[in-house]
Amino acid sequence: MKVDADLHIHSRYSKAVSKLMTFPLLAENAKLKGLGIVGTGDILNPQWEKELLRSAQKVDGGSYEIKGVRFLLTAEVEDNRRVHHLLIFPSIDAVREMREKLKPYSKDIETEGRPHVNLSAAEIADLANELDVLIGPAHSFTPWTALYKEYNSLKEAYGDAKVHFLELGLSADSEMADRIKAHHKLTYLSNSDAHSPMPHRLGREFNRFEIEDATFDEVKKAILKRGGRKIVLNAGLDPRLGKYHLTACSKCYTKYRLEDAKRLNWRCEVCGGVIKKGVHDRILELADTNERPEDRPPYLHLAPLAEIIAMVLNKGVETKAVKSVWERLLREFGSEISVLVDVPIRSIAKLVGDDIAKAIWAFRNEKLIVIPGGGGKYGEIKLPEEIKKAKLEDLESLEIKNSEEVYHKPKQRSILDFVGG
């Protein structure tokens, strides 16, 4: 059986997370999205654990069911260098044992959803391996709290400790990550890191598992590529839509070419803010191969359906108008992926009108204008004017410009810049 899974989310016990993050609402929205498995996120927090056990029916040691959706026990922890790691637990007993082992090194493990732990990446991985907990770097390339913000290799971070997977994050895809040869032996996970249960967040990135049942043991076999179980598809945002794809100011989001950022000593000349190196540039710094492993599953680039609808309606993505159209499409066609990829465009037009149908056609045919994200701001999609004005039946014949200049052009320097005055 094939099951779509999003294994990295957060609870309302983490900072900057929606209060709507409850297990019943997560299960309800996961079904609308088409997810069969969702990670609990934040399961090391004892209050979140209690909420799970009140809401869910236990299936086996490591999986629980709510409204037909399976939940696996997952958490994210921050190490002593502010690098984040994703944990997938085999049982609630392993969660509790890990919590006890981490308590002496953490001041907030019983209050925070994503606890800070005063241990190194290697020490956390050693503990995980002792307890049969799967571990890998979370959102590996982002410039604030990720592996490659702090280290130049997996070996430098984890030493000889075993790492089971690498999470790509919203600003990278499989092809980008495969530019680093040490990754070729690892399974990639593409997860949402959702802070909200809304449809443009939950499941915006997911993994399609080929497994026999939606349990920890089966997912473990797939991640470790054992017994014929495997991941057959990674799906996620076009990396350009991620918050940290390009090098940009973290205050005003002005985008810079890497050489300009270095020359400016990582200070924005527009507002004075800190310029953060983008995932695209960081991967190019580390790249050591153009080869790709033969068993790497395909990566499907997505744009959330709710964002496409919001773009057409010129409404906020969480407004009632957008949600109404989104729900209507899913009731008729079954899942968001079906609408984005499979359903005939004319069937979509018949249900919700030509404008939204044309936007979905543009997404499928890579005709949307993408303004890349950077510095902590998500990228944006725009519908070209040619498509807005065209008739549905005439779309195939259009020639469309689908790129825009996004980089700041630094001001011309004079001799005074070099002599101080």
Side-chain angles (χ1 to χ4, degrees):
M1 62 188 266
K2 291 183 172 63
V3 184
D4 293 339
D6 180 358
L7 298 176
H8 182 176
I9 68 169
H10 286 286
S11 73
R12 62 185 182 280
Y13 296 99
S14 286
K15 294 179 179 66
V17 174
S18 169
K19 299 301 181 186
L20 296 175
M21 279 299 217
T22 65
F23 281 111
L25 188 55
L26 281 166
E28 182 181 320
N29 282 353
K31 288 177 73 174
L32 287 171
K33 197 81 176 187
L35 298 172
I37 299 175
V38 179
T40 59
D42 295 358
I43 199 61
L44 287 169
N45 182 283
Q47 298 306 312
W48 191 233
E49 178 193 322
K50 288 177 184 177
E51 291 190 30
L52 172 70
L53 299 182
R54 280 199 302 266
S55 303
Q57 177 182 351
K58 186 176 180 181
V59 177
D60 68 1
S63 59
Y64 294 78
E65 187 166 306
I66 304 170
K67 297 183 179 181
V69 175
R70 295 285 178 90
F71 284 83
L72 298 190
L73 304 167
T74 65
E76 184 182 31
V77 296
E78 180 180 275
D79 70 21
N80 60 1
R81 294 176 70 168
R82 296 201 65 214
V83 172
H84 289 186
H85 310 271
L86 179 62
L87 306 172
I88 308 174
F89 295 88
S91 67
I92 204 72
D93 289 338
V95 170
R96 292 167 179 168
E97 192 169 354
M98 177 67 87
R99 187 187 295 135
E100 289 304 311
K101 286 181 178 292
L102 294 179
K103 269 185 185 178
Y105 308 99
S106 176
K107 296 179 180 179
D108 61 1
I109 195 164
E110 296 199 326
T111 55
E112 172 62 29
R114 184 200 302 108
H116 176 81
V117 180
N118 192 26
L119 292 172
S120 69
E123 289 169 328
I124 293 171
D126 282 336
L127 278 176
N129 289 323
E130 284 177 23
L131 299 173
D132 197 28
V133 176
L134 302 178
I135 184 170
H139 42 74
S140 301
F141 304 99
T142 53
W144 291 106
T145 54
L147 173 74
Y148 288 111
K149 177 270 299 185
E150 196 68 23
Y151 300 97
N152 289 317
S153 69
L154 289 160
K155 178 75 172 176
E156 186 183 345
Y158 292 104
D160 294 326
K162 187 170 184 179
V163 177
H164 304 96
F165 57 82
L166 180 140
E167 187 183 61
L168 295 168
L170 304 185
S171 297
D173 60 13
S174 300
E175 185 173 357
M176 294 170 69
D178 274 337
R179 294 294 308 278
I180 300 170
K181 196 171 183 63
H183 297 165
H184 288 192
K185 62 187 177 182
L186 288 174
T187 294
Y188 292 156
L189 294 182
S190 43
N191 301 314
S192 71
D193 196 2
H195 288 207
S196 163
M198 295 299 104
H200 62 298
R201 296 289 184 248
L202 181 65
R204 62 188 164 180
E205 302 217 343
F206 66 87
N207 315 274
R208 181 163 290 166
F209 285 92
E210 192 170 281
I211 50 181
E212 292 190 357
D213 196 5
T215 63
F216 170 82
D217 286 339
E218 286 290 301
V219 167
K220 177 181 177 180
K221 288 177 184 176
I223 290 174
L224 300 181
K225 306 175 187 177
R226 295 175 180 169
R229 282 66 157 185
K230 56 188 175 181
I231 291 177
V232 296
L233 176 73
N234 292 105
L237 291 183
D238 181 319
R240 295 174 296 172
L241 295 174
K243 292 200 292 187
Y244 299 104
H245 184 66
L246 292 184
T247 296
C249 174
S250 58
K251 185 177 179 181
C252 73
Y253 310 118
T254 299
K255 299 178 182 72
Y256 288 91
R257 298 186 189 279
L258 185 59
E259 57 269 26
D260 291 325
K262 289 179 177 177
R263 178 180 63 76
L264 293 167
N265 200 27
W266 303 98
R267 281 289 175 183
C268 177
E269 68 174 1
V270 176
C271 75
V274 176
I275 300 172
K276 298 303 292 184
K277 187 182 297 178
V279 170
H280 176 266
D281 288 324
R282 181 60 171 143
I283 288 176
L284 288 179
E285 286 182 333
L286 299 168
D288 58 5
T289 184
N290 287 315
E291 298 175 359
R292 298 200 69 195
E294 292 183 2
D295 64 348
R296 182 72 68 213
Y299 192 102
L300 176 64
H301 287 146
L302 299 176
L305 179 58
E307 291 191 8
I308 293 174
I309 297 167
M311 173 186 67
V312 174
L313 299 183
N314 197 26
K315 301 280 188 181
V317 75
E318 295 188 16
T319 59
K320 288 183 179 179
V322 171
K323 189 174 182 181
S324 174
V325 175
W326 182 81
E327 289 178 344
R328 191 176 178 192
L329 285 164
L330 266 63
R331 281 196 303 269
E332 180 68 22
F333 300 120
S335 76
E336 180 162 320
I337 295 300
S338 294
V339 175
L340 285 173
V341 179
D342 300 318
V343 176
I345 291 296
R346 292 190 182 278
S347 298
I348 294 171
K350 187 175 180 180
L351 185 69
V352 293
D354 284 7
D355 290 344
I356 289 172
K358 288 190 291 185
I360 293 172
W361 178 90
F363 159 74
R364 292 182 185 180
N365 290 276
E366 298 185 353
K367 300 297 185 182
L368 292 174
I369 295 169
V370 178
I371 302 172
K377 182 181 180 182
Y378 287 110
E380 301 174 46
I381 52 175
K382 290 184 177 181
L383 192 62
E385 288 298 320
E386 302 97 315
I387 292 179
K388 290 181 183 179
K389 295 173 183 177
K391 293 181 179 179
L392 194 61
E393 57 268 25
D394 295 334
L395 289 180
E396 295 290 350
S397 62
L398 288 180
E399 292 186 10
I400 301 162
K401 177 187 176 185
N402 62 352
S403 63
E404 290 187 350
E405 179 63 41
V406 297
Y407 292 103
H408 171 67
K409 295 179 179 178
K411 63 186 179 182
Q412 182 67 39
R413 290 178 294 172
S414 73
I415 190 65
L416 296 181
D417 291 305
F418 297 95
V419 299

